Amino acid sequence: MSIKVEYIWIDGTEPTARLRSKTKILPAGGDAELPIWGFDGSSTGQAPGRASDCVLRPVFTAPDPIRGGPHLLALCEVLDTDLTPHRTNTRAACLEVAERFSDHEPLFGIEQEYTFFKDGRPLGFPAGGFPAPQGFYYCGVGADEVFGRDVVEAHLDACLTAGLQISGINAEVMPGQWEFQVGPLGPIEVSDQLWLARWLLYRVAEDFGISATLAPKPVKGDWNGAGAHTNFSTRQMRSDYSAIVDACEALGAKAAEHIAHYGAGIEERLTGSHETAAFTTFSYGVSDRGASVRIPWQVEVAKKGYIEDRRPNANMDPYQVTRLVTDTVCSALG
């Protein structure tokens, strides 16, 4: 029997990269290591037509929950034809930082928010108008409060079947808006799994005739944006509260650099309203969802634990975010 392997990669679309994929047929019982493969980079914003070849190298594989059986999903990094990292390959830099600070044992849990759209409007929004204001949709129940649960449950099952470390799901503040959480995992592992979970989200929703978007402000006005709150700790932070404070101070010292890599359109979401701090300021506080970085109340009580960076957009590149947070905090903690 032949095996279908879905090669999945991150393209060169700017300012926010997209996922692409294509299927390779391999003989059953072949080499355990998947082969490299090529693609037309001129069609993905990654090469000019006169030198269009780019290379895919599988870096993370999982059972394919869509096709089942022996079939696989293969997340790939993009290389140039000399097999060095392509300019759009942000994984390579993340891997270097993760390896350099591995003795700090950094762990991440990422909360991926997203919004379902159908017929050009968020799922649950009536044609030509707006639903009731925000208030009852967050973690709601009932057909008048929750929209798209069948897609969400199918996506959750697909992620679990693929062996991804999904730690939870919930309905979010705006109709048609949901969240899933990945982790706790190391910088590379959480980023690989988040990208694969995103691909599965798009693919599962496709079967329902629904699209999912990571737009940071999918509806203008008095509606919450969509973020990717990033929970982080090191071995030292998990045992020493002073390291928690030092981590927050370190993030504040490099706030502008982080904001520049936390997702396109961040100024539309980080306004100081709708449970955000303004993108032009930096703050941290205990149990404060209006701060840039939140220290959970139980962390202050236990005097150890983790922090939540609330600034990253839903459309952020997790390789960029985990690289920056790891580098900034671990460099400061020494």
Side-chain angles (χ1 to χ4, degrees):
M1 177 181 179
S2 297
I3 297 175
K4 303 171 188 173
V5 183
E6 195 71 13
Y7 277 57
I8 300 164
W9 74 97
I10 302 153
D11 77 2
T13 301
E14 295 180 346
T16 301
R18 293 172 175 264
L19 285 163
R20 308 279 183 138
S21 71
K22 60 177 183 172
T23 306
K24 189 172 187 65
I25 308 300
L26 295 173
D31 293 339
E33 184 175 332
L34 296 177
I36 61 173
W37 200 15
F39 71 95
D40 172 15
S42 69
S43 296
T44 63
Q46 290 168 295
R50 67 182 183 277
S52 62
D53 289 328
C54 292
V55 179
L56 297 174
R57 178 164 63 194
V59 292
F60 176 66
T61 59
D64 187 339
I66 307 296
R67 289 169 169 151
H71 309 301
L72 298 173
L73 303 178
L75 181 69
C76 302
E77 65 175 344
V78 178
L79 307 176
D80 287 318
T81 53
D82 62 0
L83 302 187
T84 59
H86 189 271
R87 60 177 172 76
T88 61
N89 180 345
T90 56
R91 187 182 191 273
C94 181
L95 180 61
E96 186 277 324
V97 168
E99 291 177 342
R100 176 152 44 97
F101 292 109
S102 61
D103 59 325
H104 287 254
E105 299 175 16
L107 289 176
F108 287 86
I110 298 179
E111 306 169 26
Q112 177 68 73
E113 295 179 346
Y114 59 92
T115 309
F116 286 135
F117 269 71
K118 188 174 179 64
D119 299 327
R121 60 183 181 274
L123 197 65
F125 274 53
F130 291 90
Q134 295 182 161
F136 300 108
Y137 307 112
Y138 173 72
C139 295
V141 63
D144 57 339
E145 296 179 5
V146 173
F147 308 91
R149 191 186 295 276
D150 50 352
V151 191
V152 171
E153 292 289 344
H155 173 246
L156 175 61
D157 289 344
C159 287
L160 295 176
T161 299
L164 304 185
Q165 195 160 315
I166 304 296
S167 49
I169 59 171
N170 60 268
E172 267 301 333
V173 176
M174 191 179 81
Q177 194 175 71
W178 291 82
E179 171 185 300
F180 64 87
Q181 301 98 38
V182 179
L185 292 163
I188 283 291
E189 294 79 10
V190 77
S191 300
D192 286 347
Q193 293 203 22
L194 182 59
W195 275 114
L196 202 55
R198 286 173 170 178
W199 185 88
L200 282 169
L201 175 66
Y202 302 142
R203 177 61 186 83
V204 168
E206 182 183 310
D207 287 343
F208 290 82
I210 290 172
S211 62
T213 177
L214 305 185
K217 189 69 174 180
V219 179
K220 309 299 183 188
D222 193 19
W223 300 96
N224 271 35
H229 301 153
T230 299
N231 300 284
F232 174 73
S233 69
T234 65
R235 184 184 67 256
Q236 187 177 354
M237 292 166 66
R238 294 189 288 272
S239 63
D240 180 5
Y241 190 75
S242 66
I244 299 281
V245 176
D246 289 344
C248 293
E249 292 287 344
L251 289 170
K254 292 195 172 182
E257 179 184 352
H258 283 239
I259 286 292
H261 294 89
Y262 273 15
I266 201 164
E267 69 282 353
E268 298 179 13
R269 175 177 151 265
L270 297 187
T271 61
S273 300
H274 302 109
E275 299 182 299
T276 71
F279 74 97
T280 53
T281 64
F282 179 86
S283 61
Y284 66 92
V286 176
S287 198
D288 186 357
R289 281 180 164 76
S292 307
V293 174
R294 179 178 70 93
I295 301 173
W297 68 270
Q298 67 269 33
V299 170
E300 185 188 43
V301 171
K303 299 303 178 185
K304 60 183 179 180
Y306 68 98
I307 57 176
E308 178 194 46
D309 191 338
R310 297 181 56 79
R311 297 170 297 169
N313 272 354
N315 63 351
M316 61 81 159
D317 175 356
Y319 295 128
Q320 296 264 39
V321 171
T322 60
R323 174 184 62 82
L324 284 166
V325 173
T326 300
D327 196 3
T328 294
V329 175
C330 292
S331 295
L333 295 183

